[in-house]
Structure formats: structure tokens, C-alpha cells
Amino acid sequence: CFAYTHFTKTSDVHPNQCFLRVGGFVSRKRCTSCTSGRKVNIVSTDLSTQSPNVFTTLFINGRRAVRARYPDGNPETTGLYTNNTGYVNKADAWLAPQKYPPAVEINIEVPKRNGTHFPLFQVGLGGPVEMFNPPQSYWGQRAPNGGVTYEVPSGLEYPSDVDFVNRTWSNPDTGIVHAFHGRHWGNWLFKLADRDMDLRYLTFGSGGFQEARGWPEGAEWYVENIFEELDSPGEWFYNQSTKTLYLYPNGSLPTEGIGTNLESLIEIRGSMDSPVVNVTLLNLEFAHSATTFLSDYEVPSGGDWSVHRGGTVFVEGTKKFLLQNCLFNAP
């Protein structure tokens, strides 16, 4: 039988080294395939000669693969009501929202819809809602009827019992934090700007615009796209700088891998004055599109939702468009 023995940085002998143990005996030859004591089965490949060699989504043998993350989980099979949720239950604290100048407010009083929750047309431009595109929202006002001005936390303080608390991340700014709204009205996603190991802070960069109402606190959360969290079969990480793809195989090596950054597979764009006419998409299968959760979002109404104006098939400014007998395959 064989196994691996990893000596931590606090060990008196062989600190930060991993050795192969066969039949109870430890080999004195360092095992280079082990990093941090957990990564014993990671393969890598150089994609610098491939074109394009930038992608955000990877499909392995026809299935969407999971980016390296903590805690381990698969968004397609795990969630708040499964035994392994794939989320950290809570943060110790949520960092205060970023401050913005007031929005320019527009109030149109005619027509006035008396007896309704929203009697006037009101909208705030810029300021606290400048991250939307276009930068406008009903919730950008200083005192919107039915709620408060949009704001989201600027980071979180993670608990001291998370597994990565003493594990260094070489490039935390590759990370993406997924978090539930504090009242579970929606989900937020933030690009990670930095990590402070002493304060146990994860500081957010852009993001939080995937829901329109905002809130100063989040709820359950996880972080993905961190190389040091590549520790579970089926996970992957792509180093954009070195163009190196890392994969923890789920059993044998895959026979096929497809990396994509295509948010739309087909786009048809016309205008009121010059529409695109008489287009039919028939008997097609659409698959392998990329994530859009960090692309532009807009707030179309006074509701608590925002939307990305795009899709696998995006059609705008058309007449007599027909999509028939097509399969949208989200493996």
C-alpha cells in the first residue's frame, strides 16, 4: 500500500515537504506533485499556444466543471437545503458599504397614480447606483418609497474556523465571492480585491449588482477561483498570467475539455429604423456558453431585481424572428 505524508511548516523535520510512503516506509525523495499537503493528483497543461487562451468556464467531457473553491461543492447539486451546502454558514462580520455621493434624482409627478405603492415615476442617476449600466435605479434615491438606498458590503470578516484561515493565497485577487443577500432576496457576486490574514478580511472589488435592492450585510457565502483551494476531484484553476490550466481529475484523465468565454453564441442586432427581418433558427443545439455574472447589469424597474441584457441567443431589433425545435443544453 502507499500514501503521502505531509510535514507542515510547524514541523521540526522536513517542514512544508511531502513524501511518498510505501509499505510503511517514507521515501526521502520529495514529492513535487503535492502542494500544501492536499494536492496529490493535480495535472497541468500549457495553453499559451492556444487561441483564444482566455476563458472563464470549462467543460470536461461534456459537463460544466467546478472552479477551485472553498467550501467544496457544485452549484448544480449542492445548496442551502442539501447536507453539504457548499457555503460557509455566515461571516463573523460584514464590512461597511462604500460611500458614494448622492444620486441625481428625477421625479415626474404627472401622471400621478394615487392609491398605489409607487404613485410617481422616480429614479436616481449615478452616485450609489453608478455600478449598473445604465447607472440608474429607483433604489438610487436618498429615500425611496418602500425601502432604503441601494448599498452592499465592501467585504467580510471570515470565521476563525474556516480551513483556509492559516493557508496563504498567492493571488487572492483572482477570487470571486458568492454571497446571499442578507435577507435572501437574491445573490451577489464580487471580485475579490484583497485578503488580510491578520484581520481575517476578504475585501471586495467590483460586484454586488446582480440584485437591485442591496443590503449592508450578506448571509451564506463561498469563494471560488483560488488556486490554493484546488483540492477536490473535478475542480480546476486557470492561471491567466502563465496560461496554465490546472485540473484535479475525477478519476481518469478527461478525453475532452472545452474552455469558453463566449457569453452569447448567436447575436442578432437591428434597430427600430433598420430591423433584421425573416431570421429562423431551426434544429440547433446551443451549449458551452460562459458565465455572465460579472458582466453589465441594469435595473429595469422598481423591483428588487437586476438583469444582464444578454443570453446564449440574443435578439434585438428584429421582425419575423423564429426559433424552433432547438435545444439549450446546460451540461
Side-chain angles (χ1 to χ4, degrees):
C1 62
F2 69 91
Y4 291 92
T5 298
H6 178 259
F7 295 92
T8 67
K9 63 182 180 180
T10 59
S11 172
D12 292 334
V13 293
H14 315 306
N16 290 320
Q17 296 183 29
C18 185
F19 294 92
L20 175 66
R21 186 172 69 249
V22 181
F25 295 94
V26 176
S27 168
R28 294 306 177 189
K29 182 178 180 181
R30 180 183 294 191
C31 175
T32 59
S33 65
C34 180
T35 305
S36 82
R38 296 167 20 159
K39 305 174 178 63
V40 297
N41 197 28
I42 294 174
V43 296
S44 64
T45 185
D46 180 6
L47 299 182
S48 59
T49 61
Q50 303 295 312
S51 182
N53 55 21
V54 176
F55 56 91
T56 59
T57 306
L58 180 68
F59 296 85
I60 298 294
N61 292 340
R63 298 291 301 178
R64 188 186 303 271
V66 177
R67 282 202 284 199
R69 54 173 282 171
Y70 181 86
D72 294 334
N74 186 335
E76 296 181 359
T77 58
T78 59
L80 296 188
Y81 299 101
T82 60
N83 288 332
N84 170 31
T85 66
Y87 284 85
V88 180
N89 286 334
K90 63 179 182 178
D92 278 4
W94 294 87
L95 306 187
Q98 181 177 343
K99 297 298 183 181
Y100 292 90
V104 175
E105 298 189 18
I106 297 177
N107 294 274
I108 300 178
E109 298 185 358
V110 178
K112 188 171 185 177
R113 297 174 295 178
N114 293 319
T116 67
H117 197 64
F118 302 101
L120 308 177
F121 176 84
Q122 299 172 296
V123 68
L125 307 179
V129 291
E130 67 179 26
M131 63 292 301
F132 295 104
N133 186 15
Q136 61 187 43
S137 171
Y138 172 82
W139 303 106
Q141 302 175 87
R142 281 168 287 189
N145 188 31
V148 296
T149 304
Y150 168 87
E151 61 178 1
V152 293
S154 62
L156 62 84
E157 178 186 338
Y158 52 85
S160 60
D161 60 353
V162 296
D163 291 347
F164 65 79
V165 66
N166 293 318
R167 186 160 55 243
T168 301
W169 292 348
S170 54
N171 294 291
D173 57 352
T174 65
I176 299 171
V177 173
H178 299 239
F180 274 98
H181 181 287
R183 295 194 173 184
H184 294 95
W185 294 343
N187 287 81
W188 299 322
L189 298 99
F190 299 92
K191 293 183 69 174
L192 190 57
D194 199 6
R195 175 189 175 192
D196 188 316
M197 294 184 64
D198 295 327
L199 297 175
R200 304 200 314 274
Y201 283 0
L202 297 181
T203 305
F204 301 156
S206 62
F209 43 68
Q210 301 84 3
E211 174 274 337
R213 287 287 297 273
W215 201 251
E217 299 179 345
E220 298 86 355
W221 62 276
Y222 70 87
V223 59
E224 70 165 354
N225 207 36
I226 297 293
F227 175 69
E228 287 77 9
E229 302 309 318
L230 181 56
D231 59 4
S232 182
E235 289 186 344
W236 64 280
F237 178 84
Y238 183 56
N239 188 315
Q240 299 275 15
S241 299
T242 64
K243 310 302 181 188
T244 304
L245 173 64
Y246 298 88
L247 174 68
Y248 193 134
N250 189 1
S252 60
L253 289 176
T255 58
E256 179 186 67
I258 298 175
T260 179
N261 63 354
L262 289 175
E263 297 182 359
S264 292
L265 304 185
I266 292 181
E267 290 190 5
I268 302 172
R269 296 179 182 268
S271 65
M272 291 287 289
D273 296 330
S274 181
V276 179
V277 182
N278 294 326
V279 175
T280 297
L281 303 180
L282 180 65
N283 299 331
L284 298 176
E285 179 178 353
F286 299 97
H288 306 134
S289 57
T291 58
T292 59
F293 48 65
L294 289 175
S295 300
D296 288 342
Y297 273 68
E298 62 183 270
V299 183
S301 70
D304 56 6
W305 56 285
S306 59
V307 63
H308 168 64
R309 190 177 290 271
T312 301
V313 174
F314 183 80
V315 179
E316 182 179 59
T318 68
K319 288 183 177 180
K320 298 181 179 180
F321 171 78
L322 175 64
L323 188 146
Q324 187 174 32
N325 199 34
C326 292
L327 173 64
F328 287 83
N329 187 358

